[in-house]
Structures are given as structure tokens and as C-alpha cells.
Amino acid sequence: MLYTNGWSDSFLPLLKEGKMLTITPIGTSMFPLFTDPNDQAILAYVNIEKLHRGDVILYRRNNGMLVLHRIVKKTNDTFYMTGDNQTKIEGPLYANQIYAVMAAFYRKGHLISCKNPVYMILSRLWLFLRPIRPLISRPLGMLYRLTKGNINFL
């Protein structure tokens, strides 16, 4: 989740120029992808036609909040989203609510591309496991807290 006061108006032109934007997500909705307070997402301009199930996008909710979540389902003109630490699906969302797609991310200081085959397999598997995620993420969260974050899920 990102709380903003209109700064999206200033970064949209930069994204359209092909520049990347690095943000630090807050909250736990994308655990286990983002675990460390220093983990960051690198966002790129989004071509709506090229988005697929499993892509992580930055979008604006109707209440104005910017959110970084994963696409669960895409139809001709709508998108349905969920956080990696959630089971509830949010939507429909429309193309005009989508600002950027995650191209890469920093995890514990390491840069990982969203085209990395290991990331792609793990993220698709995690999306497939959405209905039973609570049975998996609760023990993962406890293990993460017990090891004080010294465990790497990716």
C-alpha cells in the first residue's frame, strides 16, 4: 500500500518517458515477496495489452489509495487483483486505474528481475495456491519472525 498526496501526477510522465520508478512498499499484503522494510519494487510504464495473470501492478483504488498487488484474472477490459498475503480478490479494476507494472525488485539488497525464471515459477505457484495461502503464510510468517528475517523465501 502507498499513501500519496498527488505525487502520482508527477511520476506518470517519467514512466511514459521510459524511466523506472523505485518505491518501498509498506504493509504485509505482499508477504512473502516483500518482507524487509528495505525491499523495493522497480516500476515501469505499463502497456495494458501486455499485462498477464501474475503480473504485479501499481493501481489506484476508488478511495484514492495506490496499491501494489498481483493480477489474478484479466478479462477484455477489467482486472482482478490480490496481494500475495491475501486470499480475497479485489475488482473489477479498469485500465485507467493502472499506473505501472513491476519490472524488478530489490530483495534484501539483491536485484531480481520479474523475468527471472525462478521468480516466475514461484510467483505462478504462489498464485495457484491462493485458496490455501493462509495455511502456508501463517507458518512462514512465524518462521520469519522467529529468525528475525534471516531467512530468504526467494
Side-chain angles (χ1 to χ4, degrees):
M1 256 183 266
L2 300 171
Y3 298 94
T4 63
N5 292 323
W7 62 270
S8 61
D9 296 334
S10 61
F11 75 72
L12 278 176
L14 297 174
L15 288 170
K16 288 180 180 176
E17 290 172 12
K19 293 184 169 58
M20 301 287 221
L21 175 70
T22 302
I23 62 167
T24 303
I26 60 171
T28 60
S29 68
M30 287 301 286
F31 177 85
L33 179 62
F34 295 112
T35 58
D36 188 86
N38 298 315
D39 290 348
Q40 295 180 308
I42 301 172
L43 305 177
Y45 180 71
V46 62
N47 180 339
I48 298 297
E49 289 80 34
K50 292 186 178 182
L51 288 175
H52 297 95
R53 173 180 160 87
D55 288 341
V56 176
I57 61 170
L58 179 70
Y59 64 94
R60 186 177 298 280
R61 287 182 173 155
N62 292 333
N63 66 5
M65 183 183 298
L66 286 174
V67 180
L68 190 69
H69 278 171
R70 193 175 299 280
I71 298 172
V72 175
K73 179 181 174 186
K74 176 184 176 186
T75 65
N76 288 338
D77 59 347
T78 59
F79 296 84
Y80 296 83
M81 314 299 300
T82 192
D84 282 357
N85 196 26
Q86 300 173 329
T87 56
K88 184 179 177 191
I89 296 175
E90 178 179 358
L93 299 171
Y94 300 93
N96 66 346
Q97 293 175 271
I98 299 171
Y99 289 90
V101 63
M102 187 172 76
F105 57 98
Y106 283 100
R107 176 69 181 269
K108 297 196 181 265
H110 300 285
L111 179 63
I112 301 170
S113 169
C114 289
K115 294 183 184 201
N116 176 307
V118 174
Y119 166 76
M120 291 176 71
I121 291 167
L122 290 176
S123 66
R124 298 311 190 265
L125 176 63
W126 193 245
L127 191 56
F128 175 76
L129 294 173
R130 184 187 56 80
I132 61 166
R133 276 189 206 156
L135 300 174
I136 301 167
S137 53
R138 281 188 194 107
L140 279 179
M142 289 184 343
L143 181 62
Y144 182 79
R145 285 187 295 280
L146 285 172
T147 62
K148 296 184 174 45
N150 291 323
I151 189 170
N152 198 350
F153 296 113
L154 185 65

